[in-house]
Amino acid sequence: MSTQQDQNRETAERINGAFVDAYNTGATGLIDDVVTDDFVCHHLAAGQDLHGADGYKPRITELRAAIPDFHMELEEMIVEGNMSAGHYTWGGTHENELMGVPGTGKTIETTSMTMMRMEGDKMAEMWVYGDGRGLQEQLGITR
């Protein structure tokens, strides 16, 4: 018999899997079925809130345009109740504009963390924190 905690972990794994697959393949529609209609992402790295699946999808598209060989991996995930935290590594070759920086041809790798709140079997809210300074250093914006 599955406990509520087991079900929450399975839900978090499914949601994370959809987002990681969307980033890795560019198939942004993969997130449609894992977020609520009123989903909001507090994207602290980008300095904005993104509303709904359609509001989030351009983030995936923009990163993949800047880094065509973009690859993301979920390194760790913790689930407690209806909350989940994830630690990711991601990167690739910076070929086109990213954060106002023209493509450099450099291979970049960075980390980010998310906290998500689930409602039922979907994600309702997410907070994203990234290593902006490390990414800026790799892009040559700061030293």
Side-chain angles (χ1 to χ4, degrees):
M1 185 171 182
S2 178
T3 67
Q4 184 62 50
Q5 185 64 21
D6 291 336
Q7 291 172 359
N8 289 345
R9 182 158 189 86
E10 289 171 11
T11 297
E13 287 172 350
R14 185 176 53 78
I15 293 167
N16 274 296
F19 271 80
V20 168
D21 288 349
Y23 272 104
N24 287 339
T25 65
T28 60
L30 292 171
I31 70 169
D32 289 337
D33 293 333
V34 298
V35 299
T36 62
D37 290 340
D38 60 349
F39 162 73
V40 64
C41 172
H42 309 285
H43 205 295
L44 300 170
Q48 61 184 332
D49 285 349
L50 308 171
H51 297 271
D54 288 340
Y56 191 91
K57 289 175 186 178
R59 177 77 181 153
I60 297 170
T61 303
E62 290 166 8
L63 272 173
R64 290 195 51 82
I67 307 168
D69 61 348
F70 187 93
H71 184 73
M72 173 185 280
E73 290 185 35
L74 174 63
E75 301 292 339
E76 297 287 338
M77 183 179 70
I78 299 169
V79 180
E80 182 65 38
N82 71 335
M83 300 295 290
S84 172
H87 172 240
Y88 309 84
T89 56
W90 58 269
T93 310
H94 176 222
E95 296 290 341
N96 299 300
E97 184 179 325
L98 178 64
M99 298 171 51
V101 177
T104 62
K106 294 179 181 178
T107 299
I108 58 174
E109 185 171 325
T110 191
T111 61
S112 61
M113 297 186 79
T114 65
M115 175 82 80
M116 79 166 123
R117 182 177 59 82
M118 298 174 283
E119 286 182 4
D121 64 347
K122 295 185 178 188
M123 179 171 35
E125 197 167 12
M126 177 170 60
W127 295 262
V128 178
Y129 306 87
D131 179 14
R133 179 148 178 102
L135 182 57
Q136 289 175 350
E137 287 175 358
Q138 292 178 61
L139 294 175
I141 297 172
T142 61
R143 296 194 188 278

